[in-house]
Amino acid sequence: QDVQEGLLQGQIAVEFTQYYDQVDSSYKFAALLVKPNLEFPQFIPLCSKEQLTTFLQENHPGEIANARILYQWLWHPLVAHLGNSQEVFYSTSGILNEIPFHTLVSSERNQPLKFVMDRFDVHRLTSTRYLYAGFNKSLFESEQPTVSLVGGVDFYNLPSTTLAQTSSRKKR
């Protein structure tokens, strides 16, 4: 409920998680969808952990063909539940952290490339609990972006006084 209260109209939260399926004694991934108008999160089963782990060991998730497969396994099952939502906040865990969800390819082969980020304004969060704390697009868009750049740092060329102090401490 706390996460739900942090969502604005047109926003949705997705918490990717894994669970143990007692029916076939295996771990699987699922998505928990939280919408402003739902009483409870929706549980959407996805793929098996073994299937995804094996796939990622043998394939790079950033390649177009692989991004299409990952879309089918991890994002396509959510599409029917996302409705008219424009903005998706999502959180992953474990091996799912290796997947760039915003660049999963939703278009069919021989069609112009369409990514998840072309349809939705997606934001990866370390946890959807930040939505409860009021962290959503409307808050961080209002602040002026800043950047700090540091270049030419030489961590190995310390001033001689520092080296002398370090050497004297070691001799004690």
Side-chain angles (χ1 to χ4, degrees):
Q1 273 183 325
D2 293 337
V3 169
Q4 188 178 30
E5 291 173 13
L7 293 171
L8 302 174
Q9 198 62 29
Q11 294 179 335
I12 191 166
V14 180
E15 186 85 34
F16 289 95
T17 187
Q18 70 176 343
Y19 67 99
Y20 184 75
D21 187 350
Q22 294 180 348
V23 175
D24 62 3
S25 300
S26 67
Y27 285 96
K28 295 185 178 180
F29 290 106
L32 297 170
L33 267 66
V34 179
K35 295 181 184 180
N37 58 348
L38 288 179
E39 185 176 356
F40 299 104
Q42 287 180 284
F43 179 85
I44 301 170
L46 302 172
C47 63
S48 75
K49 182 178 181 180
E50 180 181 0
Q51 176 186 27
L52 183 62
T53 302
T54 303
F55 183 81
L56 290 176
Q57 287 171 348
E58 299 170 359
N59 300 283
H60 188 278
E63 293 178 13
I64 299 299
N66 298 336
R68 280 191 176 101
I69 292 169
L70 292 170
Y71 174 85
Q72 292 301 319
W73 292 351
L74 300 170
W75 197 268
H76 183 71
L78 310 178
V79 172
H81 303 279
L82 297 176
N84 293 330
S85 299
Q86 298 295 314
E87 195 166 14
V88 179
F89 295 90
Y90 70 97
S91 175
T92 58
S93 65
I95 197 167
L96 293 175
N97 286 318
E98 297 178 23
I99 299 170
F101 279 82
H102 55 286
T103 61
L104 296 181
V105 177
S106 62
S107 57
E108 296 294 322
R109 191 174 235 168
N110 300 325
Q111 302 234 339
L113 281 179
K114 289 188 181 178
F115 301 97
V116 167
M117 65 184 174
D118 292 332
R119 164 65 178 89
F120 302 99
D121 192 6
V122 289
H123 307 279
R124 182 186 292 250
L125 302 173
T126 53
S127 173
T128 55
R129 71 177 177 179
Y130 288 113
L131 295 170
Y132 171 65
F135 180 82
N136 59 35
K137 183 179 177 186
S138 62
L139 288 177
F140 65 81
E141 250 188 7
S142 64
E143 295 186 21
Q144 292 294 327
T146 59
V147 174
S148 296
L149 299 175
V150 178
V153 177
D154 186 356
F155 292 102
Y156 300 104
N157 190 11
L158 297 174
S160 59
T161 56
T162 305
L163 290 174
Q165 291 171 352
T166 305
S167 297
S168 67
R169 282 189 216 140
K170 289 181 181 178
K171 290 178 184 176
R172 290 183 199 173

